[in-house]
Amino acid sequence: MLFASSILLAVAGGATAGSVPPHQPRFGASELHARDDYGYITPFDGTASTTFFDIGSTTTSCGITAATLPKGQNYIAINQLGFGANPNSFVNGQPGGGAGGACGQCFEITPLVDGKPATDQTVNFMIVDECPADPAKSEGHTYCTQCGIGWLNHLGENWHFDVMRNNMNPQDAERFFRNVDQHGGNWEHVQFTKSDCGSIPRPAFTGDGCGPTGCTNKPQFVCENVPRPQPDAQTIPQGQ
C-alpha cells in the first residue's frame, strides 16, 4: 500500500472566527450489525478520511495485480478494521492476513468541503485492498490504526479509504478530486454509504481466503500483534 501524499495534521481543538467548526466523526448502530467474531466491522455508512495511491507492481490484499485489474474503474482500499484481515497475525503458525470480507463490497463516497457534502462529486468505489493498522506496513502513516468503534485516527475518523487514483474512470477522477489541491491534496473528511456496485466490474479475487463467491477472513483478531497506536491517535466512548 503506497500513499501518494500525506496530511499529518492534529484534529482541531476548536473553531476560530470565520473557520469551519471542528469535524465530528459519524458512526453508529447501523454499523454494528456487521461485526464478526473477531471484531471486524463492515461499515454501512458514516464519515471517513481519505488518501490516494497508484497501483504499481504489487498485489493487493484481495489478490489483484495491475495486470489483472480492469482499467478505468474505481477501486479503493479500506482500513484494517473494515477490511477483515490482519497481516500482523498468525494462523496455525503461518502468517495471517490475506483477503478480508470487504473484498468486492462497494461504497458511494462524497467529499465534505468546508463541512458540507459536495454531492455533485460523489463517486462509487469497490474495495480491492487493505490499509494496514500497523504504521510499519503503511509507510509510517497512522490513518488506519483504528481497532474498534470509537478509535479515531489523527484526522479524527474511525474509517479510512485509500483511493486507487491511477486506475479510476477519468471523468469520475476529475469529479471526485475537483479542487482537492485547495484542501491539502486529500479529502480529510468524506461521508460514505454502502452501495450496490452498479457497473463496476468485480475482479477475479485470488487472495488467500477468497473463493468463487467471495472472500472470508481467517480466525484472527483485528489488532492482534499490532503495535499500540501512535500518541496522536484518539479514542472516544462507543455510542457517542
Side-chain angles (χ1 to χ4, degrees):
M1 180 66 55
L2 298 177
F3 291 95
S5 59
S6 61
I7 308 172
L8 301 179
L9 300 177
V11 178
T16 58
S19 69
V20 178
H23 174 75
Q24 296 296 318
R26 182 164 62 84
F27 47 82
S30 63
E31 295 159 343
L32 300 182
H33 73 280
R35 185 191 302 271
D36 71 12
D37 290 341
Y38 301 98
Y40 297 99
I41 303 169
T42 302
F44 179 80
D45 58 15
T47 60
S49 50
T50 69
T51 44
F52 66 87
F53 73 105
D54 292 342
I55 187 169
S57 59
T58 59
T59 301
T60 76
S61 295
C62 297
I64 305 300
T65 66
T68 59
L69 197 69
K71 302 299 185 289
Q73 302 295 331
N74 304 327
Y75 297 114
I76 203 166
I78 191 171
N79 56 318
Q80 187 165 309
L81 173 64
F83 182 74
N86 179 355
N88 282 48
S89 69
F90 289 83
V91 180
N92 296 325
Q94 299 298 314
C103 294
Q105 298 190 35
C106 295
F107 295 89
E108 287 190 342
I109 300 178
T110 303
L112 293 174
V113 181
D114 296 331
K116 299 178 181 178
T119 54
D120 62 337
Q121 294 181 240
T122 300
V123 169
N124 200 23
F125 293 91
M126 179 183 287
I127 302 293
V128 299
D129 205 358
E130 170 181 24
C131 176
D134 185 353
K137 289 182 167 61
S138 294
E139 298 189 348
H141 297 291
T142 57
Y143 294 101
C144 301
T145 55
Q146 308 92 332
C147 295
I149 290 293
W151 293 62
L152 308 184
N153 64 15
H154 62 280
L155 292 177
E157 293 289 4
N158 209 135
W159 307 104
H160 183 81
F161 293 103
D162 197 17
V163 179
M164 191 184 294
R165 186 169 183 170
N166 68 331
N167 199 80
M168 286 184 70
N169 174 287
Q171 291 75 30
D172 288 344
E174 188 283 327
R175 182 169 70 253
F176 185 77
F177 288 106
R178 186 187 310 142
N179 299 323
V180 72
D181 289 341
Q182 300 175 21
H183 299 270
N186 290 305
W187 295 120
E188 291 187 6
H189 306 290
V190 298
Q191 67 180 26
F192 66 88
T193 302
K194 202 169 187 296
S195 65
D196 63 50
C197 296
S199 62
I200 302 176
R202 182 186 178 94
F205 297 128
T206 59
D208 188 12
C210 289
T213 60
C215 304
T216 57
N217 62 326
K218 294 180 178 181
Q220 53 194 332
F221 291 97
V222 177
C223 284
E224 178 185 350
N225 298 326
V226 174
R228 292 181 64 83
Q230 300 298 307
D232 57 2
Q234 305 174 52
T235 59
I236 60 178
Q238 183 175 321
Q240 287 194 6

